[in-house]
Amino acid sequence: MKTVQVRNITLGEGRPKICVPIVGQTKDDILLEAGTFARIPVDVVEWRVDWFEDVFDTDKVLDVAKDLQTVLKDTPILFTFRTAKEGGEKAISNEAYKALNMAVAKSGYVDLIDVEAFTGEEIVKSMIQEAHSYGVKVIASNHDFDATPEKDEIVRRLRMMQDYGADIPKMAVMPRNKQDVLTLLSARWKCPSSSPTARSLPCPWQVPVLSAVSLVKPSVPPLPSVQLPKLPHRDRSMSTSLHRFLTLSTKACDPVTSHKKDLR
């Protein structure tokens, strides 16, 4: 499996990496929040630009991105416009979505962009190719807020993202019981050997794979609580983001299950 190098962070080897989002609505809020990250062990910072009040003004987005890079220094920045159809704050046309992402990728102010995999095959492939031409890595993503798909379907979606050329495929799901969580983990780590499509879905993945739980229903026992540091009043936005963080594991699946001849 290939690793993905983003500045001084290597995805695909070592410990799980921690990505913390910024969801400020104003430039001041965004930069203030970014300034607090020096106190915590953050590997990647995700700017959720769909929360930004001037997101549809590209010049203002680029202005914030430039200052954000200055504040965060060597910490990699993931630029994400999460569309309303995938749980984000705002709706946007496909054309505007591509134009904004490509403008930011071309600027050199960010290290990765998130491209929603079901935006359309042609536009997704073109966005990935263009981002790569600017030296920017791409996370292709999909979010299912209704349920957890069957394992074969999860594998199909992840492999589709890989085939599109994404550096990192990502899948987030809604578990309704313990088995749903195990289904996600199973799909992420191993390919279904009994599936009629197994030979077209080889494992291990050629690139790192991210998986996440969007929300845990009350029927699932809660995870152990994490004690967050007490923050001064002005850092309340940081506290909000810390509660939203996901620990993203980028390990390969068990090489014993690989179908090497299918990867050639």
Side-chain angles (χ1 to χ4, degrees), residues 26 30 34 52 75 84 87 90 107 114 118 148 176 190 200 209 243 252 263:
T26 69
I30 292 165
F52 180 42
T75 302
K90 296 177 178 68
S107 72
D114 180 294
F118 286 93
T148 299
R176 298 186 180 277
K190 295 184 179 182
S200 65
V209 174
H243 279 91
L263 292 174

PDB file of all heavy atoms in Angstrom, residues 26 30 34 52 75 84 87 90 107 114 118 148 176 190 200 209 243 252 263:
ATOM      1  N   THR A  26     -16.493  33.636  10.863  1.00  0.00           N
ATOM      2  CA  THR A  26     -15.816  34.850  10.427  1.00  0.00           C
ATOM      3  C   THR A  26     -14.319  34.598  10.331  1.00  0.00           C
ATOM      4  O   THR A  26     -13.792  33.637  10.903  1.00  0.00           O
ATOM      5  CB  THR A  26     -16.061  36.005  11.405  1.00  0.00           C
ATOM      6  OG1 THR A  26     -15.384  35.724  12.654  1.00  0.00           O
ATOM      7  CG2 THR A  26     -17.556  36.196  11.671  1.00  0.00           C
ATOM      8  N   ILE A  30     -11.968  32.121  12.738  1.00  0.00           N
ATOM      9  CA  ILE A  30     -11.177  31.044  12.131  1.00  0.00           C
ATOM     10  C   ILE A  30      -9.712  31.144  12.550  1.00  0.00           C
ATOM     11  O   ILE A  30      -9.098  30.152  12.973  1.00  0.00           O
ATOM     12  CB  ILE A  30     -11.320  31.090  10.591  1.00  0.00           C
ATOM     13  CG1 ILE A  30     -12.740  30.714  10.183  1.00  0.00           C
ATOM     14  CG2 ILE A  30     -10.299  30.172   9.923  1.00  0.00           C
ATOM     15  CD1 ILE A  30     -13.080  31.064   8.743  1.00  0.00           C
ATOM     16  N   ALA A  34      -7.493  28.698  15.005  1.00  0.00           N
ATOM     17  CA  ALA A  34      -6.267  28.082  14.495  1.00  0.00           C
ATOM     18  C   ALA A  34      -5.085  28.363  15.412  1.00  0.00           C
ATOM     19  O   ALA A  34      -4.206  27.510  15.600  1.00  0.00           O
ATOM     20  CB  ALA A  34      -5.971  28.586  13.092  1.00  0.00           C
ATOM     21  N   PHE A  52     -18.021  29.214   6.723  1.00  0.00           N
ATOM     22  CA  PHE A  52     -17.525  30.580   6.570  1.00  0.00           C
ATOM     23  C   PHE A  52     -18.598  31.464   5.939  1.00  0.00           C
ATOM     24  O   PHE A  52     -19.204  31.110   4.926  1.00  0.00           O
ATOM     25  CB  PHE A  52     -16.264  30.558   5.704  1.00  0.00           C
ATOM     26  CG  PHE A  52     -15.638  31.890   5.450  1.00  0.00           C
ATOM     27  CD1 PHE A  52     -15.527  32.833   6.448  1.00  0.00           C
ATOM     28  CD2 PHE A  52     -15.130  32.188   4.190  1.00  0.00           C
ATOM     29  CE1 PHE A  52     -14.937  34.068   6.204  1.00  0.00           C
ATOM     30  CE2 PHE A  52     -14.529  33.410   3.934  1.00  0.00           C
ATOM     31  CZ  PHE A  52     -14.435  34.359   4.945  1.00  0.00           C
ATOM     32  N   THR A  75       1.699  22.747   9.882  1.00  0.00           N
ATOM     33  CA  THR A  75       0.590  21.805  10.029  1.00  0.00           C
ATOM     34  C   THR A  75      -0.200  21.728   8.725  1.00  0.00           C
ATOM     35  O   THR A  75      -0.646  22.753   8.213  1.00  0.00           O
ATOM     36  CB  THR A  75      -0.355  22.244  11.166  1.00  0.00           C
ATOM     37  OG1 THR A  75       0.393  22.340  12.378  1.00  0.00           O
ATOM     38  CG2 THR A  75      -1.479  21.236  11.344  1.00  0.00           C
ATOM     39  N   ALA A  84     -24.581  20.565   1.419  1.00  0.00           N
ATOM     40  CA  ALA A  84     -25.778  20.285   2.210  1.00  0.00           C
ATOM     41  C   ALA A  84     -26.259  18.857   2.007  1.00  0.00           C
ATOM     42  O   ALA A  84     -26.741  18.216   2.942  1.00  0.00           O
ATOM     43  CB  ALA A  84     -26.882  21.279   1.843  1.00  0.00           C
ATOM     44  N   GLY A  87     -24.547  16.619   4.403  1.00  0.00           N
ATOM     45  CA  GLY A  87     -24.536  16.995   5.804  1.00  0.00           C
ATOM     46  C   GLY A  87     -23.883  18.320   6.129  1.00  0.00           C
ATOM     47  O   GLY A  87     -23.733  18.672   7.298  1.00  0.00           O
ATOM     48  N   LYS A  90     -24.173  24.385   3.652  1.00  0.00           N
ATOM     49  CA  LYS A  90     -24.705  25.144   2.525  1.00  0.00           C
ATOM     50  C   LYS A  90     -24.796  24.284   1.266  1.00  0.00           C
ATOM     51  O   LYS A  90     -24.030  23.330   1.087  1.00  0.00           O
ATOM     52  CB  LYS A  90     -23.821  26.366   2.230  1.00  0.00           C
ATOM     53  CG  LYS A  90     -23.780  27.383   3.368  1.00  0.00           C
ATOM     54  CD  LYS A  90     -22.821  28.519   3.041  1.00  0.00           C
ATOM     55  CE  LYS A  90     -22.803  29.567   4.148  1.00  0.00           C
ATOM     56  NZ  LYS A  90     -22.197  29.046   5.388  1.00  0.00           N
ATOM     57  N   SER A 107      -3.865  27.887  -5.361  1.00  0.00           N
ATOM     58  CA  SER A 107      -3.240  28.961  -4.586  1.00  0.00           C
ATOM     59  C   SER A 107      -1.992  28.513  -3.829  1.00  0.00           C
ATOM     60  O   SER A 107      -1.121  29.326  -3.523  1.00  0.00           O
ATOM     61  CB  SER A 107      -4.248  29.534  -3.583  1.00  0.00           C
ATOM     62  OG  SER A 107      -4.485  28.607  -2.526  1.00  0.00           O
ATOM     63  N   ASP A 114     -11.002  18.017   0.033  1.00  0.00           N
ATOM     64  CA  ASP A 114     -11.989  16.943   0.115  1.00  0.00           C
ATOM     65  C   ASP A 114     -12.917  17.065  -1.088  1.00  0.00           C
ATOM     66  O   ASP A 114     -13.487  18.131  -1.336  1.00  0.00           O
ATOM     67  CB  ASP A 114     -12.784  17.074   1.413  1.00  0.00           C
ATOM     68  CG  ASP A 114     -13.846  15.995   1.584  1.00  0.00           C
ATOM     69  OD1 ASP A 114     -14.826  15.985   0.785  1.00  0.00           O
ATOM     70  OD2 ASP A 114     -13.743  15.187   2.515  1.00  0.00           O
ATOM     71  N   PHE A 118     -19.679  11.423  -4.918  1.00  0.00           N
ATOM     72  CA  PHE A 118     -20.899  11.302  -5.707  1.00  0.00           C
ATOM     73  C   PHE A 118     -21.331  12.627  -6.313  1.00  0.00           C
ATOM     74  O   PHE A 118     -22.509  12.821  -6.642  1.00  0.00           O
ATOM     75  CB  PHE A 118     -22.007  10.677  -4.862  1.00  0.00           C
ATOM     76  CG  PHE A 118     -21.806   9.201  -4.638  1.00  0.00           C
ATOM     77  CD1 PHE A 118     -21.149   8.745  -3.507  1.00  0.00           C
ATOM     78  CD2 PHE A 118     -22.220   8.275  -5.577  1.00  0.00           C
ATOM     79  CE1 PHE A 118     -20.931   7.388  -3.304  1.00  0.00           C
ATOM     80  CE2 PHE A 118     -22.006   6.916  -5.392  1.00  0.00           C
ATOM     81  CZ  PHE A 118     -21.360   6.468  -4.251  1.00  0.00           C
ATOM     82  N   THR A 148     -25.880   2.103   7.730  1.00  0.00           N
ATOM     83  CA  THR A 148     -24.586   1.554   7.355  1.00  0.00           C
ATOM     84  C   THR A 148     -24.808   0.580   6.215  1.00  0.00           C
ATOM     85  O   THR A 148     -25.480  -0.442   6.390  1.00  0.00           O
ATOM     86  CB  THR A 148     -23.930   0.820   8.540  1.00  0.00           C
ATOM     87  OG1 THR A 148     -23.726   1.743   9.612  1.00  0.00           O
ATOM     88  CG2 THR A 148     -22.596   0.218   8.138  1.00  0.00           C
ATOM     89  N   ARG A 176     -26.459   1.742  13.585  1.00  0.00           N
ATOM     90  CA  ARG A 176     -27.658   1.617  14.410  1.00  0.00           C
ATOM     91  C   ARG A 176     -27.504   0.535  15.476  1.00  0.00           C
ATOM     92  O   ARG A 176     -28.375   0.362  16.322  1.00  0.00           O
ATOM     93  CB  ARG A 176     -28.874   1.347  13.528  1.00  0.00           C
ATOM     94  CG  ARG A 176     -29.141   2.488  12.551  1.00  0.00           C
ATOM     95  CD  ARG A 176     -30.412   2.305  11.771  1.00  0.00           C
ATOM     96  NE  ARG A 176     -30.618   3.426  10.849  1.00  0.00           N
ATOM     97  CZ  ARG A 176     -31.151   4.594  11.177  1.00  0.00           C
ATOM     98  NH1 ARG A 176     -31.515   4.808  12.431  1.00  0.00           N
ATOM     99  NH2 ARG A 176     -31.314   5.541  10.299  1.00  0.00           N
ATOM    100  N   LYS A 190     -10.749  -5.772   5.362  1.00  0.00           N
ATOM    101  CA  LYS A 190     -10.664  -6.967   4.528  1.00  0.00           C
ATOM    102  C   LYS A 190     -11.713  -6.949   3.434  1.00  0.00           C
ATOM    103  O   LYS A 190     -12.807  -6.458   3.612  1.00  0.00           O
ATOM    104  CB  LYS A 190     -10.855  -8.228   5.376  1.00  0.00           C
ATOM    105  CG  LYS A 190      -9.746  -8.458   6.398  1.00  0.00           C
ATOM    106  CD  LYS A 190      -9.948  -9.766   7.142  1.00  0.00           C
ATOM    107  CE  LYS A 190      -8.824  -9.996   8.154  1.00  0.00           C
ATOM    108  NZ  LYS A 190      -8.981 -11.282   8.862  1.00  0.00           N
ATOM    109  N   SER A 200     -12.688  -8.101  -8.366  1.00  0.00           N
ATOM    110  CA  SER A 200     -12.575  -6.746  -8.892  1.00  0.00           C
ATOM    111  C   SER A 200     -12.372  -5.727  -7.780  1.00  0.00           C
ATOM    112  O   SER A 200     -12.236  -4.547  -8.030  1.00  0.00           O
ATOM    113  CB  SER A 200     -13.818  -6.380  -9.697  1.00  0.00           C
ATOM    114  OG  SER A 200     -14.953  -6.346  -8.856  1.00  0.00           O
ATOM    115  N   VAL A 209      -7.047   4.260   3.605  1.00  0.00           N
ATOM    116  CA  VAL A 209      -8.500   4.371   3.652  1.00  0.00           C
ATOM    117  C   VAL A 209      -8.915   4.928   5.010  1.00  0.00           C
ATOM    118  O   VAL A 209      -8.436   4.484   6.042  1.00  0.00           O
ATOM    119  CB  VAL A 209      -9.173   2.995   3.426  1.00  0.00           C
ATOM    120  CG1 VAL A 209     -10.684   3.101   3.615  1.00  0.00           C
ATOM    121  CG2 VAL A 209      -8.848   2.461   2.042  1.00  0.00           C
ATOM    122  N   HIS A 243     -14.464  18.547  20.355  1.00  0.00           N
ATOM    123  CA  HIS A 243     -15.524  17.563  20.523  1.00  0.00           C
ATOM    124  C   HIS A 243     -15.912  16.933  19.189  1.00  0.00           C
ATOM    125  O   HIS A 243     -16.541  15.885  19.143  1.00  0.00           O
ATOM    126  CB  HIS A 243     -16.756  18.208  21.165  1.00  0.00           C
ATOM    127  CG  HIS A 243     -16.647  18.338  22.649  1.00  0.00           C
ATOM    128  ND1 HIS A 243     -16.124  19.469  23.246  1.00  0.00           N
ATOM    129  CD2 HIS A 243     -16.953  17.478  23.655  1.00  0.00           C
ATOM    130  CE1 HIS A 243     -16.152  19.317  24.558  1.00  0.00           C
ATOM    131  NE2 HIS A 243     -16.637  18.124  24.838  1.00  0.00           N
ATOM    132  N   ALA A 252      -3.037  -0.337   6.610  1.00  0.00           N
ATOM    133  CA  ALA A 252      -3.454  -1.217   5.524  1.00  0.00           C
ATOM    134  C   ALA A 252      -4.200  -2.408   6.092  1.00  0.00           C
ATOM    135  O   ALA A 252      -4.103  -2.713   7.267  1.00  0.00           O
ATOM    136  CB  ALA A 252      -2.215  -1.710   4.762  1.00  0.00           C
ATOM    137  N   LEU A 263      -3.878  -6.741  -8.561  1.00  0.00           N
ATOM    138  CA  LEU A 263      -3.381  -5.392  -8.388  1.00  0.00           C
ATOM    139  C   LEU A 263      -2.425  -4.999  -9.505  1.00  0.00           C
ATOM    140  O   LEU A 263      -2.045  -3.855  -9.598  1.00  0.00           O
ATOM    141  CB  LEU A 263      -2.648  -5.281  -7.030  1.00  0.00           C
ATOM    142  CG  LEU A 263      -3.534  -5.400  -5.796  1.00  0.00           C
ATOM    143  CD1 LEU A 263      -2.640  -5.429  -4.559  1.00  0.00           C
ATOM    144  CD2 LEU A 263      -4.490  -4.223  -5.711  1.00  0.00           C
TER     145      LEU A 263
END
